[in-house]
Amino acid sequence: MRCVLKYLLLILAFQAIGYEIGQTTQSNMGWYDGLEKSAFTPPDIAFPIVWSTLYVLLAIAARKVYVFWRESKDHGLFLLFCLQMALNWGWSFVFFGAHEIAYGFYWIVVFDIAMLGFIAVAWRPLHKAALLVAPTFLWGLYAGYLNYAIMALN
């Protein structure tokens, strides 16, 4: 029961962070709506649904990484996970907050590389966490394409 509570608290924390990031996005939708976008851009409602789902998976992965770190003292995997999360959470502030389309694209490229690095490093010792991060990596590739299209079209 205690373990379930820890997962639930972490999921709530990730959702709260996602909500706060969403406020930055929401307050800049007028700017975003004026940009030319790819024909493959999903409707705006898709983004909070996808990110809420991904943050649940990432919170579960975070708990697994934390437990692994506490048991193994493997700082590398823990730090790599934290790095990819910081890059994840930072993109909205670069793209939406600062209106930096090109920097946003480069940010996503680095974020995708960090996620791929985490997945590769975690694959053997922490397979489930690697699998939980994989959907965010795939979405990150798609987001990179969308960001690139905006950069090319504007």
Side-chain angles (χ1 to χ4, degrees), residues 24-38:
T24 297
T25 302
Q26 199 61 27
S27 66
N28 286 281
M29 285 308 289
W31 167 78
Y32 177 76
D33 288 341
L35 298 172
E36 292 293 322
K37 294 171 209 65
S38 163

Side-chain angles (χ1 to χ4, degrees), residues 6-139:
K6 289 178 182 180
Y7 276 106
L8 288 176
L9 288 173
L10 207 47
I11 289 168
L12 286 174
F14 273 56
Q15 294 299 325
I17 291 167
Y19 175 81
E20 287 303 316
I21 291 167
Q23 295 306 300
T24 297
T25 302
Q26 199 61 27
S27 66
N28 286 281
M29 285 308 289
W31 167 78
Y32 177 76
D33 288 341
L35 298 172
E36 292 293 322
K37 294 171 209 65
S38 163
F40 298 107
T41 301
D44 291 343
I45 190 63
F47 292 98
I49 294 168
V50 169
W51 277 112
S52 294
T53 303
L54 293 175
Y55 283 154
V56 169
L57 299 176
L58 290 169
I60 295 167
R63 177 69 185 155
K64 292 183 178 308
V65 169
Y66 175 75
V67 169
F68 178 78
W69 170 68
R70 295 251 345 248
E71 292 173 356
S72 71
K73 302 300 184 208
D74 183 340
H75 297 294
L77 194 58
F78 180 77
L79 291 174
L80 190 52
F81 184 84
C82 291
L83 171 66
Q84 66 91 23
M85 285 310 307
L87 290 166
N88 178 329
W89 290 330
W91 177 84
S92 289
F93 299 104
V94 173
F95 184 87
F96 283 102
H99 300 183
E100 291 289 348
I101 298 169
Y103 287 132
F105 173 71
Y106 301 128
W107 191 281
I108 285 181
V109 169
V110 173
F111 169 48
D112 286 342
I113 291 168
M115 276 192 296
L116 185 59
F118 172 80
I119 291 167
V121 171
W123 194 255
R124 258 192 215 285
L126 211 48
H127 188 72
K128 288 180 183 176
L131 288 174
L132 288 163
V133 171
T136 305
F137 173 67
L138 295 174
W139 183 259

